[in-house]
Amino acid sequence: MEKDIKSFAEFEYRERLFDRTYLGVPYWQALRFVVCEGALSDRLIHDNKVYKNKNFVQRNSLILKNFFLFFKSIGKQYNFDETELICFTHNKIKDKFFDYWKMPAQIKSTRIRTSFDPKDISTNEYNLLLIYFQANIKFRLKRKLNINKKDQNELRFLRNLEKKIKLNFGQSITAEEMEQYIYHYIEIYRVSEKYFEKLFNKTKCKAILVVCYYQEVLYAAYDVAKRKNILIMELQHGVINNHEEYWFEDLRGNNNLTPDYLLAFGKKHIEWTQLLPTTKAVSIGFPYQCFKIKELEYLSTEEKTVIIYPVAKKEFEIIINEFVSLAVPKGYRIIVKLHPNEVDGMKSRYPILSENSDIEFITRQSEGIYYWLKLGRHHVMASTTVGLEAVAFNHTNICIAENVPHEQTQPLMDWGIARGFSSANELMNLIQYPISTEYSEVRKALWENNAEKNIQKFLMDLRSNNWRR
């Protein structure tokens, strides 16, 4: 189904969902992403299917691994020095948002890891495992013992909301699922609020910098930061057009915890959003992309390599499967590059393509997306960040599947730098007869030049103004 974010935002405004509370706790900020995804996409259906196919050990291995890491790193949790900027980072090995530009030497900064994936966590750095354990233990115990307090009036509202969402959008997660998400958020908030109060008091920080602001574990940080006049900045992490967390029809800002600044990849990304008046968007660029393009100058592009960025839709799989049977006899190499979050449960997500022996499936993440964009001449996709990233290279022949939702890449077709297909034969024709590609004007609109200098200047200007807008 095509995601109509504007209609959903209008719906939540009509229903005044940001005004709702459960046991006195405002919850819609933390709930809206999962409810919107449940209404407008099949993402949660596929995630649940993968989860149900796991055994007990697989389901709980993350908790056990984090339990071990927590005790190894517990001494680092509160040993903070004074710092003016706290960076909430995600990836351990070469963080693509923080490790490809230099923080100005004048700015004293500290990093805290927000990820709960053991592969991303080092025992020698600050992380949020303390919050993770305290909140999840409380949540699971209360659920197991069935001792959570009930807000019967709000549960009735959620049941009615479920009906309205189904009526307006065709599908919805259940009211009971919404209630469990709220319970989890309440536990996370209560634990993390105390943590961030102590963190900000001890460090005396002036500003925080995050990647992907809509993280459940960080909402309390924003709440505390706003009370203490600490500036909140977000680095853009992916496509934000037609995205529920970057489009608001309810512009009142009630019970809404959003950044003071969005540091965007380029001006076009900003034009595709409708942010709250309290958030200012600034075009900065993406230092990681600049670095990777230069680093990959050695890599030759393969003229007959086609890279597919799949979407878990049967109609997409059928066309690609038919296309493979047309392309392989003509000497084309077909690669399916899976999103990192889709490697687990590949066969259940892509039952048709995973059975095709003529396809190379890429499940490893070591090379990174820009390696594949440089390697392949032809790139086939639907709705994905990769479409806009492909514009960073002049050689890319971008082909968009029009028989499935493709709202994030529609602008590329509007600009005439990508073409659409609805059948295997049409795709074969696009591959055999690529259009001439020269994206200089579009690239500047999507990806601001001199990204490292831009972000350094932005931070230094804020610092000179005592981290005030």
Side-chain angles (χ1 to χ4, degrees), residues 183-204:
Y183 282 142
H184 190 262
Y185 171 64
I186 290 174
E187 296 301 340
I188 285 279
Y189 184 91
R190 286 173 176 167
V191 172
S192 56
E193 183 186 27
K194 295 176 184 177
Y195 175 89
F196 290 119
E197 281 276 4
K198 189 170 184 177
L199 171 68
F200 295 154
N201 285 340
K202 195 165 185 182
T203 60
K204 297 181 172 59

Side-chain angles (χ1 to χ4, degrees), residues 45-54 58 312 317 338-352 354 361 363:
I45 295 173
H46 290 296
D47 288 348
N48 288 335
K49 188 186 297 183
V50 170
Y51 180 77
K52 288 177 181 178
N53 287 335
K54 292 181 178 181
Q58 290 171 324
E317 284 196 272
L338 292 174
H339 188 280
N341 294 338
E342 294 187 339
V343 172
D344 191 12
M346 177 187 78
K347 290 187 177 181
S348 64
R349 293 179 192 276
Y350 303 105
I352 298 174
S354 61
F361 273 88
T363 58

Side-chain angles (χ1 to χ4, degrees), residues 112-228:
I112 297 178
R113 194 74 59 192
T114 63
S115 171
F116 301 131
D117 187 333
K119 295 191 297 295
D120 295 329
I121 298 172
S122 167
T123 55
N124 296 319
E125 64 187 359
Y126 300 120
N127 58 58
L128 298 181
L129 285 177
L130 181 67
I131 294 173
Y132 176 82
F133 275 111
Q134 287 182 323
N136 278 284
I137 288 171
K138 289 181 179 180
F139 170 73
R140 286 173 177 245
L141 277 176
K142 287 182 178 180
R143 185 174 62 180
K144 189 74 174 176
L145 299 174
N146 196 27
I147 58 174
N148 276 309
K149 292 182 180 179
K150 286 278 186 182
D151 188 331
Q152 294 294 350
N153 289 334
E154 198 61 20
L155 181 56
R156 279 193 291 272
F157 173 82
L158 293 174
R159 285 172 177 155
N160 191 42
L161 178 64
E162 177 191 344
K163 292 176 184 177
K164 289 182 178 181
I165 293 173
K166 285 180 177 177
L167 182 65
N168 282 270
F169 304 103
Q171 61 186 32
S172 174
I173 65 173
T174 67
E176 286 69 28
E177 287 173 319
M178 294 182 205
E179 186 180 47
Q180 288 303 313
Y181 278 110
I182 293 170
Y183 282 142
H184 190 262
Y185 171 64
I186 290 174
E187 296 301 340
I188 285 279
Y189 184 91
R190 286 173 176 167
V191 172
S192 56
E193 183 186 27
K194 295 176 184 177
Y195 175 89
F196 290 119
E197 281 276 4
K198 189 170 184 177
L199 171 68
F200 295 154
N201 285 340
K202 195 165 185 182
T203 60
K204 297 181 172 59
C205 77
K206 304 290 187 180
I208 62 176
L209 181 59
V210 307
V211 179
C212 184
Y213 83 88
Y214 51 97
Q215 297 183 61
E216 187 180 49
V217 72
L218 289 179
Y219 285 130
Y222 308 148
D223 212 0
V224 175
K226 287 177 184 294
R227 295 200 296 265
K228 295 179 178 294

Side-chain angles (χ1 to χ4, degrees), residues 8-53:
F8 187 85
E10 289 171 343
F11 172 80
E12 68 179 358
Y13 183 30
R14 288 196 305 272
E15 298 296 322
R16 293 295 194 268
L17 295 180
F18 281 105
D19 297 343
R20 306 303 305 186
T21 62
Y22 191 100
L23 296 173
V25 178
Y27 61 79
W28 188 247
Q29 173 85 62
L31 192 60
R32 72 191 297 250
F33 180 83
V34 69
V35 173
C36 184
E37 289 296 307
L40 301 182
S41 79
D42 298 328
R43 174 178 180 169
L44 299 180
I45 295 173
H46 290 296
D47 288 348
N48 288 335
K49 188 186 297 183
V50 170
Y51 180 77
K52 288 177 181 178
N53 287 335

Side-chain angles (χ1 to χ4, degrees), residues 364-379:
R364 63 186 185 274
Q365 307 303 321
S366 54
E367 291 89 354
I369 192 62
Y370 290 101
Y371 174 89
W372 303 105
L373 287 171
K374 179 69 184 294
L375 180 72
R377 171 75 164 95
H378 314 280
H379 299 271

Side-chain angles (χ1 to χ4, degrees), residues 61-320:
S61 61
L62 180 64
I63 296 173
L64 294 173
K65 290 176 182 176
N66 278 331
F67 189 69
F68 172 74
L69 285 170
F70 166 67
F71 280 102
K72 285 197 70 175
S73 62
I74 194 167
K76 290 286 291 183
Q77 302 310 306
Y78 284 115
N79 188 25
F80 301 116
D81 296 323
E82 287 191 17
T83 187
E84 55 189 317
L85 175 63
I86 295 178
C87 301
F88 289 97
T89 65
H90 195 74
N91 300 314
K92 174 188 169 186
I93 302 172
K94 274 292 184 182
D95 188 305
K96 66 180 181 179
F97 298 101
F98 288 95
D99 286 333
Y100 292 88
W101 56 278
K102 290 183 179 180
M103 181 71 69
Q106 300 92 323
I107 297 176
K108 187 175 182 181
S109 64
T110 298
R111 291 190 185 189
I112 297 178
R113 194 74 59 192
T114 63
S115 171
F116 301 131
D117 187 333
K119 295 191 297 295
D120 295 329
I121 298 172
S122 167
T123 55
N124 296 319
E125 64 187 359
Y126 300 120
N127 58 58
L128 298 181
L129 285 177
L130 181 67
I131 294 173
Y132 176 82
F133 275 111
Q134 287 182 323
N136 278 284
I137 288 171
K138 289 181 179 180
F139 170 73
R140 286 173 177 245
L141 277 176
K142 287 182 178 180
R143 185 174 62 180
K144 189 74 174 176
L145 299 174
N146 196 27
I147 58 174
N148 276 309
K149 292 182 180 179
K150 286 278 186 182
D151 188 331
Q152 294 294 350
N153 289 334
E154 198 61 20
L155 181 56
R156 279 193 291 272
F157 173 82
L158 293 174
R159 285 172 177 155
N160 191 42
L161 178 64
E162 177 191 344
K163 292 176 184 177
K164 289 182 178 181
I165 293 173
K166 285 180 177 177
L167 182 65
N168 282 270
F169 304 103
Q171 61 186 32
S172 174
I173 65 173
T174 67
E176 286 69 28
E177 287 173 319
M178 294 182 205
E179 186 180 47
Q180 288 303 313
Y181 278 110
I182 293 170
Y183 282 142
H184 190 262
Y185 171 64
I186 290 174
E187 296 301 340
I188 285 279
Y189 184 91
R190 286 173 176 167
V191 172
S192 56
E193 183 186 27
K194 295 176 184 177
Y195 175 89
F196 290 119
E197 281 276 4
K198 189 170 184 177
L199 171 68
F200 295 154
N201 285 340
K202 195 165 185 182
T203 60
K204 297 181 172 59
C205 77
K206 304 290 187 180
I208 62 176
L209 181 59
V210 307
V211 179
C212 184
Y213 83 88
Y214 51 97
Q215 297 183 61
E216 187 180 49
V217 72
L218 289 179
Y219 285 130
Y222 308 148
D223 212 0
V224 175
K226 287 177 184 294
R227 295 200 296 265
K228 295 179 178 294
N229 293 315
I230 295 171
L231 198 70
I232 305 167
M233 301 170 287
E234 178 194 18
L235 292 170
Q236 183 178 343
H237 70 285
V239 171
I240 56 178
N241 66 310
N242 206 44
H243 193 298
E244 57 265 42
E245 296 293 352
Y246 299 92
W247 194 277
F248 295 88
E249 291 295 322
D250 187 347
L251 297 174
R252 298 172 301 156
N254 289 3
N255 298 319
N256 207 302
L257 301 167
T258 51
D260 298 300
Y261 283 100
L262 167 63
L263 309 186
F265 295 149
K267 294 182 175 64
K268 270 296 175 185
H269 296 273
I270 297 171
E271 292 176 11
W272 293 330
T273 66
Q274 183 161 293
L275 306 174
L276 290 177
T278 50
T279 299
K280 182 178 181 181
V282 181
S283 179
I284 293 291
F286 192 19
Y288 173 73
Q289 184 190 86
C290 301
F291 178 90
K292 294 304 289 185
I293 290 174
K294 185 172 181 59
E295 181 187 59
L296 292 168
E297 287 177 351
Y298 76 92
L299 183 65
S300 298
T301 298
E302 298 176 357
E303 286 294 322
K304 300 204 84 172
T305 290
V306 181
I307 302 185
I308 316 290
Y309 307 89
V311 57
K313 294 280 189 181
K314 184 177 180 180
E315 52 268 47
F316 181 87
E317 284 196 272
I318 290 172
I319 286 181
I320 298 302

